[in-house]
Amino acid sequence: MITLYTWTTPNGRKASIALEEMGLPYEVRPVNIGKNEQFAPDFLRISPNNKIPAIVDQDAEGGPLAVFESGAILTYLAEKSGRFLAPSGPARYKAMEWLYWQVGGLGPMLGQLGFFALRSHEKSQLAIKRFTEEADRLLSVMDKQLAETEYLAGADYSIADIATYPWTLAATGFLGEVLADSLTTKLFVHRWLRTVSDRPAVQRGMEVPKI
Ligand SMILES: N[C@@H](CCC(=O)N[C@@H](CS)C(=O)NCC(=O)O)C(=O)O
């Protein structure tokens, strides 16, 4: 059994979508980051960076294993299930490229844009401009890739798509007005979003955690 520590956010949903897609049994422990539960000592022992998602696999080889950081979690789950990540060769590294692109690029930039454009009471025009332009640049890179391939890493759906889906949905959802100009030109991103949205496991993963 895998325990998933998560909340109702794009980073949390990457892990629940992966668990649903891979059909791995799991139980959910909601960590309410609005109430600072991510700083509880018990949670910090599992996720020392005080962020969700994190997992504990009780049945890991060699004994219970805690994993934090969504990219590491998705890689671990893909290797455990043997799904959505090639075991070796070029397809593996294409999936890794786009996985790291999401974890180090799209996620943090959209997160910063959300903070400066929506959550912050003080509106810094410089920060909003900087992160709007960077979000547009990243969505353009993604659109160009998806004009050439069905999924981010090629012909096959992979953990790179799982990682990128919840944040791209956020770009069209709670960031939709901020990014309206950018989104009108990203036709292949919208095609990919529709394809991934149609997957039943993605729909189930987006409902986690139920609170
Ligand atoms: N790089 C991390 C980012 C995780 C992250 O930013 N999680 C947010 C929720 S979406 C969080 O737990 N924030 C709580 C905090 O910063 O105190 C990952 O990909 O797992």
Side-chain angles (χ1 to χ4, degrees):
M1 176 65 84
I2 292 171
T3 306
L4 168 64
Y5 296 81
T6 191
W7 192 238
T8 59
T9 67
N11 286 317
R13 261 87 187 240
K14 297 178 202 173
S16 47
I17 291 172
L19 286 158
E20 291 289 340
E21 288 281 14
M22 295 165 190
L24 294 166
Y26 69 104
E27 59 177 7
V28 178
R29 296 274 172 83
V31 177
N32 187 336
I33 61 174
K35 291 189 177 164
N36 284 336
E37 290 176 4
Q38 70 273 31
F39 297 105
D42 281 357
F43 181 64
L44 289 175
R45 272 191 282 280
I46 294 161
S47 184
N49 195 35
N50 64 264
K51 289 182 189 284
I52 62 90
I55 60 167
V56 177
D57 183 358
Q58 300 298 340
D59 307 318
E61 271 181 49
L65 176 69
V67 184
F68 72 99
E69 277 294 325
S70 61
I73 293 169
L74 296 191
T75 305
Y76 177 76
L77 295 176
E79 289 179 346
K80 183 180 174 84
S81 67
R83 301 198 63 195
F84 308 118
L85 180 65
S88 62
R92 180 179 180 85
Y93 297 104
K94 292 294 130 189
M96 289 293 197
E97 279 178 356
W98 287 98
L99 176 66
Y100 285 95
W101 173 86
Q102 189 289 317
V103 172
L106 190 71
M109 293 307 126
L110 293 182
Q112 294 299 328
L113 180 59
F115 176 79
F116 284 109
L118 301 175
R119 280 173 47 211
S120 171
H121 294 301
E122 187 186 320
K123 296 289 179 235
S124 161
Q125 293 311 316
L126 178 62
I128 294 169
K129 180 173 182 295
R130 161 78 185 151
F131 291 113
T132 303
E133 286 175 358
E134 185 61 1
D136 177 53
R137 188 192 66 78
L138 289 161
L139 290 170
S140 298
V141 170
M142 185 179 171
D143 199 60
K144 189 162 175 284
Q145 174 69 4
L146 290 171
E148 288 165 21
T149 58
E150 179 75 6
Y151 294 104
L152 280 170
D156 297 325
Y157 180 71
S158 74
I159 53 172
D161 300 288
I162 294 175
T164 306
Y165 175 78
W167 273 111
T168 312
L169 198 67
T172 63
F174 79 93
L175 284 166
E177 272 188 40
V178 182
L179 290 171
D181 288 347
S182 171
L183 289 167
T184 52
T185 59
K186 307 297 183 295
L187 303 184
F188 296 98
V189 169
H190 290 293
R191 186 264 297 150
W192 171 89
L193 262 181
R194 285 192 296 275
T195 306
V196 179
S197 295
D198 281 346
R199 296 178 71 92
V202 169
Q203 293 163 13
R204 291 195 301 276
M206 288 299 292
E207 297 295 313
V208 176
K210 292 198 180 5
I211 49 165

